[in-house]
């Protein structure tokens, strides 16, 4: 006897019951103090609407519709299984960034903690962020940045020659290639990893991790969230030999040249003078890659888009670059 229809019917009835309960339950004083808005379906919230807007190329539509409907300053929604308040506009951003650790504090959904930290890890995303803020100034000091620029310039030229130019490329996808370029830069500057096969392996699994950050938090085999957790574990597994070798080099005090972020992590200590474990370092590397990837690649893609959409601005940028360097390679992207 096939029990599948019966199981699906039972699941549907249970979900409908929970939905009605959350829909008609009496609001608590906390609910009455929260901003105007809609939390969508129980458990799922409005995650699907948000993700769909992004996939359709209109991520701002989700926010603008709710600003018009509820409030132009702040509204309530639900994503990744959590009720959240979305602050809008310059005043909202100013309030958040000027009151950190005063009126507001850093917080991450449990789904991100689940993906970004190993199963037996004693840390979380908030603790990782605090540790990174102590380490990053050394990595980002001016004399260090001066050494990164030639590396980034060389890699940019190689990337353009390989992936953007040539007779075989009738069309290029700017955002896809911007993500590839950003990830290559991150692997080189953060971990000194340049092997194309290793970078490609990291990138393939990293794509699954990124897709699961705002997925419906259902950890069943085959779901986006489950694939993200498995991909994060695979990245940690690939990072393990890199971490072991780097720690051995540091212990032997080999000349590493300019120390990258990975070396800074392994040399850092906590308040008790203890070094990070390899698993903690792997979690932090994964967190840094996640934090830096989409923001930088999106900004890069928008630069290309607006330069292509504004030929007069592109001509001025090209002219200024030519005058400053004396010679420049020209790349024409007819379809972006």
């Amino acid at each position: 006897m096939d029990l599948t229809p019966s199981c699906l019917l039972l699941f549907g009835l249970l979900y409908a019951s929970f939905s009605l309960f959350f829909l008609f339950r009496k609001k608590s004083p906390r609910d009455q103090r929260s901003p105007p808005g809609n939390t969508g379906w129980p458990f799922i919230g409005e995650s699907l609407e948000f993700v769909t807007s992004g996939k359709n190329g209109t991520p701002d539509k989700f926010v603008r519709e709710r600003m018009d409907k509820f409030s132009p300053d702040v509204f309530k929604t639900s994503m990744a299984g959590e009720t959240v308040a979305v602050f809008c506009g310059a005043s909202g951003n100013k309030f958040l960034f000027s009151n950190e650790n005063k009126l507001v504090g850093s917080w991450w959904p449990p789904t991100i903690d689940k993906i970004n930290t190993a199963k037996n890890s004693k840390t979380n995303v908030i603790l990782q962020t605090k540790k990174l803020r102590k380490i990053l100034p050394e990595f980002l000091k001016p004399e260090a940045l001066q050494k990164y620029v030639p590396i980034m310039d060389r890699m940019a030229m190689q990337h353009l020659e390989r992936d953007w130019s040539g007779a075989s490329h009738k069309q290029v996808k700017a955002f896809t290639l911007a993500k590839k370029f950003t990830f290559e830069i991150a692997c080189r500057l953060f971990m000194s990893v340049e092997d194309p096969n290793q970078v490609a392996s990291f990138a393939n699994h990293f794509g699954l991790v990124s897709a699961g950050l705002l997925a419906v938090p259902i950890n069943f085999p085959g779901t986006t969230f489950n694939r993200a957790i498995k991909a994060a574990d695979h990245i940690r597994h690939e990072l393990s030999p890199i971490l072991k070798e780097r720690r051995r080099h540091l212990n032997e005090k080999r000349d590493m040249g300019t120390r990258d972020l990975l070396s800074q992590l392994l040399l850092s200590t906590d308040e008790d003078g203890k070094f990070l474990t390899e698993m903690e370092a792997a979690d932090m590397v994964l967190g840094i890659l996640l934090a830096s990837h989409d923001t930088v690649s999106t900004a890069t893609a928008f630069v290309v888009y607006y330069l292509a959409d504004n030929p007069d601005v592109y001509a001025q940028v090209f002219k200024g670059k030519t005058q400053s360097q004396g010679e420049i390679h020209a790349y024409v992207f007819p379809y972006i």
Side-chain angles (χ1 to χ4, degrees), residues 45-60:
E46 295 189 304
S47 301
L48 295 179
E49 291 92 330
F50 178 74
V51 172
T52 301
S53 295
K55 288 185 176 180
N56 291 337
T58 55
D60 58 315

Side-chain angles (χ1 to χ4, degrees), residues 46 49-50 53-54 58-77 79 86-89:
E46 295 189 304
E49 291 92 330
F50 178 74
S53 295
T58 55
D60 58 315
K61 181 181 177 182
F62 178 88
V63 175
R64 292 190 181 280
E65 286 180 348
R66 284 151 184 79
M67 288 175 65
D68 295 338
K69 184 176 181 180
F70 299 114
S71 169
D73 301 316
V74 58
F75 64 85
K76 175 178 63 178
T77 184
M79 295 182 188
V86 179
F87 286 81
C88 311

Side-chain angles (χ1 to χ4, degrees), residues 192-213:
S192 299
V193 173
E194 294 186 87
D195 178 46
N197 294 326
Q198 194 168 30
V199 173
S201 178
F202 279 130
N204 291 336
H205 291 92
F206 186 80
L208 296 174
V209 173
S210 297
L213 291 177

